[in-house]
Amino acid sequence: NLTLSINKKLANGFHNLQSIFCLVNLFDKIIIKKLHKRKKDDISFIGSQSKFIKKSNNSVQKVLNLMRKDKLIHHYYSVKVFKNIPVFAGLGGGTSNAATIFNFLQKKTKKRFNLNKIINHIGTDFRLFLSSQGCLNNLKTVINFKKKHKLYFLVVYPKIRCSTKKIYSLLKKYSLKREFSQKKIRNKNYFINYLLDSKNDLQSLVEKKHPVIKRLITNI
């Protein structure tokens, strides 16, 4: 999330939000194989970032179950995920795994699917991993950028387990909804200045709960 504006809490418990976002080249590696004559998926997570992932109730298993329930797929699969994306880091690692597998499998079928149903079970950030750069205008609308800029990032990982759900529960104030225009990204300098004038509504809450984050940002 390059910006994050939380507009209000919805009746279903989710928060309506706006975010300018982009994917970065920090990624997990996934190996998936169809299992023949099996009635159970074989899912495993490997690597230093895998030890906190639930083996029986994770985003990969959820998306496979949902796709079978809607008859988008019929087989069971062996899935090995080599984790490079830190967990509890707000980078959407688990959701990106589910979105990648969903994209891979749904291309093999011409059946229609209910994306909102999958998002309700996997996470509201699922929609973001279907685009490389864009603006999430609300939970159901993504505006894809007509012009995509090449951006560079410094990723600092202080090995903190920060629950997104917990941080959202601390949120008391909401931001006004803003109108997004493609003019905001017409050139790179204009775009960078727009980002600098924006903010992340969850940042102060995270800094209060984990002061080392504030020290890192200040030093950078």
Side-chain angles (χ1 to χ4, degrees), residues 20 26 40-41 43 60 71 117 124 133 159 166 168 174 219:
I20 291 179
L26 171 65
K40 186 178 179 181
D41 296 310
I43 300 172
V60 172
K71 296 182 170 47
K117 181 189 288 188
T124 55
Q133 284 187 22
K159 298 183 178 180
K166 175 64 176 177
Y168 268 99
Y174 300 99
N219 288 334

Side-chain angles (χ1 to χ4, degrees), residues 81-138:
V81 183
F82 296 82
K83 291 296 296 180
N84 294 310
I85 302 173
V87 296
F88 299 105
L91 294 173
T95 308
S96 70
N97 294 158
T100 299
I101 290 171
F102 174 81
N103 280 335
F104 175 74
L105 294 176
Q106 71 94 18
K107 286 177 182 177
K108 299 177 179 294
T109 178
K110 295 182 180 180
K111 296 179 181 178
R112 298 185 67 180
F113 58 90
N114 188 332
L115 185 59
N116 288 329
K117 181 189 288 188
I118 292 177
I119 288 171
N120 287 339
H121 284 83
I122 303 300
T124 55
D125 54 344
F126 187 95
R127 200 183 300 273
L128 305 187
F129 292 100
L130 306 180
S131 306
S132 58
Q133 284 187 22
C135 173
L136 181 70
N137 204 35
N138 53 57

Side-chain angles (χ1 to χ4, degrees), residues 39-60:
K39 296 295 181 181
K40 186 178 179 181
D41 296 310
D42 181 14
I43 300 172
S44 59
F45 297 88
I46 303 167
S48 60
Q49 301 300 327
S50 64
K51 66 179 183 177
F52 297 115
I53 300 172
K54 296 178 180 179
K55 300 300 185 288
S56 59
N57 183 28
N58 53 70
S59 58
V60 172

Side-chain angles (χ1 to χ4, degrees), residues 49-76:
Q49 301 300 327
S50 64
K51 66 179 183 177
F52 297 115
I53 300 172
K54 296 178 180 179
K55 300 300 185 288
S56 59
N57 183 28
N58 53 70
S59 58
V60 172
Q61 186 66 74
K62 287 178 181 178
V63 78
L64 291 174
N65 291 343
L66 287 167
M67 293 184 79
R68 270 193 296 267
K69 186 176 181 180
D70 282 359
K71 296 182 170 47
L72 294 174
I73 59 174
H74 300 282
H75 293 87
Y76 291 81

